[in-house]
Amino acid sequence: MKRVALLGATGSIGRQAIEIVEAHPDLELCAASSGSSPLDGIAAEHTQVGGDLTELLDRSRPDVVLNAVVGFAGIHATLWALENGVDLALANKESLVAAGELALEAQRRGGGRILPVDSEHSALFQCLEGRTAEQVDSLVLTGSGGPFRGRVRDELTAVTPEDALAHPTWRMGPKITIDSATLANKGLELIEAHFLFDVPYDRIEVVLQPTSIVHSLVRFRDGAMLAHLGYPDMRVPISYALTYPERAATPLAPLDFTSLTLAFEAPDTETFPMLALARETGEKGGTYPCVFNAANEVAVAAFLEGRLAFLEIPEVVGDALARADGSPARDLDDLVEVDRAARAIPVA
Ligand code: NAD
Ligand code: MG
C-alpha cells in the first residue's frame, strides 16, 4: 500500500487524483486538504481546510505527497516532502519556481524525490529516464499557445476573464488557465524544468503545438529526438507520478493517429511578453523567480476580478521585478518575506 497525502483535493488536479487513487488497489488516501471548501468521503482527522499543511503531513506519514495546491501557498508542503525524504508528486509548480535553490538544498539534505505531475515535465522525465546528462543536447517544452494564439496586441486590449478562461485543449483551475492565456504558465514551466532537470536556460526551448498531443521532447547529442505523445488528460501524468515506476493502467482510450494534427510553431513573445520575461527572470536567478511568481499571482487575481486589463498583467510583473533586488533567500523565512514584499505591488 502506498499512502498518498493529497493537498488541494478539491481542485482540478485534486479531483482527478482522487479518481486515480480510487481505481488503484495499492494506493490509499492518508490525508487530504483544501483551501476553503469542505472535504467529504475521508475521515475528519485526516483532512484539513486551510492552515499549516505541514502538521497534517507530520500526522499522516505519507509515502507520497501530491502537491496540487495552487500558488505560493504550496511552498511549505513542497519543502516538507523534500526535507523529510518523502516522494513529492509535484503539480504545484509555483513552489519550485519560487524556492529554486532552497528546494534543491532541502532535497539534497532530505533525499525526497520529485515526480513531476505537470504534463510537460512528466513527459521530459520519461524521455530522460536512463540517460546521462552528456547525452542530452536540449529540452523542448511544448505549449498549446492558449486561447489567444495567433492574435496581435490590438486584439487583446478588451479581452475579458471569460474569454481568457476558454482554453482550447485543457480543462484546469482558473489561475493556471489565465497563465496559459498570457504564456506565464510556459514561463513558469521553463523555470520549473531548469530546476527539475538541471539544464541551463539556453538549452531549454519552447515551441507551440496547438493540439497538445506532443507533451514535450528531448534532443540528444546524436541528432535523435524523443517525444512523449498522448491526449491532453492530466490523469496520465498524475497516475504516472503516483504509481512510479509501475506505470499503472488508466481508463484512457488509445491515441487515434489517423485523426491527429501535429503542427508546431514558434511562440509570439512580443504579443505574449510573459514568456520572455520569465526566461530573463530565470537567468537572473536569486529570488527574481519568486518575485515573478508573486506578482503574477496578484495580477492574475486582479484580472479575474475585473480590476486589471489582460495586457497590464506583464506590466505589473515587470514593475515588481524592477523594484526587487533579487538577492538569494537564505531560508524559508527570507523567501516568505520576498513573496510578501512582491505582493505589495500596486495594481489598478
Ligand atoms: P484549482 O484552483 O482547481 O485547485 C487548487 C486547490 O488548491 C483547491 O483544492 C484549493 O482549495 C486549494 N487551495 C487554494 N488556495 C490554497 C491555500 N492558500 N492553501 C491551501 N490550499 C489551497 O487548481 P488546479 O488547476 O488543480 O492547479 C493546482 C496546481 O497544479 C497549480 O499549481 C497548477 O499550476 C498545477 N497544474 C494544474 C494542471 C491542471 O490541469 N489543472 C496542470 C498542470 C499543473
Ligand atoms: Mg503544463
Side-chain angles (χ1 to χ4, degrees):
M1 268 296 187
K2 210 188 252 188
R3 295 164 59 81
V4 181
L6 176 57
L7 309 178
T10 54
S12 160
I13 294 288
R15 290 191 308 270
Q16 295 178 84
I18 289 173
E19 194 186 313
I20 295 296
V21 170
E22 283 176 348
H24 197 296
D26 297 335
L27 295 176
E28 147 187 89
L29 219 54
C30 66
S33 81
S34 80
S36 51
S37 30
L39 290 147
D40 32 52
I42 174 162
E45 70 263 34
H46 303 308
T47 65
Q48 190 172 312
V49 178
D52 180 357
L53 295 172
T54 61
E55 282 169 27
L56 177 70
L57 293 172
D58 280 331
R59 273 204 311 278
S60 57
R61 294 172 293 105
D63 298 309
V64 54
V65 174
L66 172 43
N67 190 351
V69 170
V70 60
F72 186 81
I75 192 104
H76 307 279
T78 284
L79 293 176
W80 183 94
L82 296 174
E83 201 76 70
N84 285 283
V86 174
D87 280 355
L88 172 64
L90 184 68
N92 177 245
K93 66 192 88 185
E94 296 94 337
S95 58
L96 184 59
V97 168
E101 283 303 326
L102 277 188
L104 300 183
E105 283 164 23
Q107 183 178 31
R108 282 192 284 272
R109 281 193 302 270
R113 278 192 301 196
I114 308 183
L115 304 165
V117 170
D118 216 347
S119 57
E120 298 78 0
H121 304 75
S122 176
L124 291 169
F125 183 79
Q126 293 173 53
C127 292
L128 287 167
E129 264 190 294
R131 328 284 163 189
T132 62
E134 311 81 70
Q135 294 168 346
V136 175
D137 174 74
S138 55
L139 311 180
V140 183
L141 269 177
T142 55
S144 69
F148 304 140
R149 181 180 59 86
R151 295 205 197 179
V152 295
R153 281 183 72 83
D154 283 353
E155 295 167 314
L156 295 175
T157 42
V159 295
T160 64
E162 200 189 3
D163 300 328
L165 286 170
H167 196 279
T169 54
W170 294 98
R171 295 286 154 269
M172 311 178 285
K175 191 266 180 179
I176 183 176
T177 306
I178 302 304
D179 285 350
S180 300
T182 61
L183 293 198
N185 183 50
K186 219 41 65 183
L188 292 168
E189 291 185 352
L190 173 70
I191 302 173
E192 180 186 15
H194 166 77
F195 287 118
L196 278 176
F197 305 116
D198 191 24
V199 173
Y201 288 99
D202 61 1
R203 293 202 284 122
I204 312 175
E205 198 181 321
V206 173
V207 68
L208 301 186
Q209 200 281 299
T211 56
S212 301
I213 297 293
V214 180
H215 296 143
S216 276
L217 312 91
V218 176
R219 229 186 260 284
F220 292 92
R221 63 179 170 188
D222 59 359
M225 290 188 88
L226 290 186
H228 181 290
L229 276 68
Y231 287 122
D233 189 317
M234 289 306 293
R235 290 175 301 177
V236 177
I238 292 169
S239 177
Y240 189 79
L242 291 183
T243 68
Y244 180 81
E246 174 199 338
R247 197 189 281 279
T250 73
L252 260 81
L255 196 62
D256 174 10
F257 290 102
T258 56
S259 65
L260 292 182
T261 316
L262 296 182
F264 293 88
E265 61 185 67
D268 172 358
T269 49
E270 257 167 60
T271 307
F272 303 97
M274 290 298 271
L275 180 56
L277 200 53
R279 186 177 284 280
E280 209 180 287
T281 301
E283 273 166 355
K284 281 161 85 180
T287 47
Y288 283 114
C290 175
V291 172
F292 175 93
N293 176 69
N296 181 56
E297 286 189 34
V298 169
V300 169
F303 171 68
L304 283 170
E305 288 162 17
R307 291 184 283 116
L308 194 73
F310 184 78
L311 290 176
E312 288 170 337
I313 296 173
E315 291 173 17
V316 168
V317 175
D319 284 353
L321 288 165
R323 286 165 182 235
D325 75 2
S327 51
R330 284 158 302 183
D331 53 26
L332 180 58
D333 289 344
D334 262 8
L335 195 70
V336 167
E337 178 50 30
V338 170
D339 171 78
R340 193 201 57 75
R343 281 170 200 271
I345 186 83
V347 289

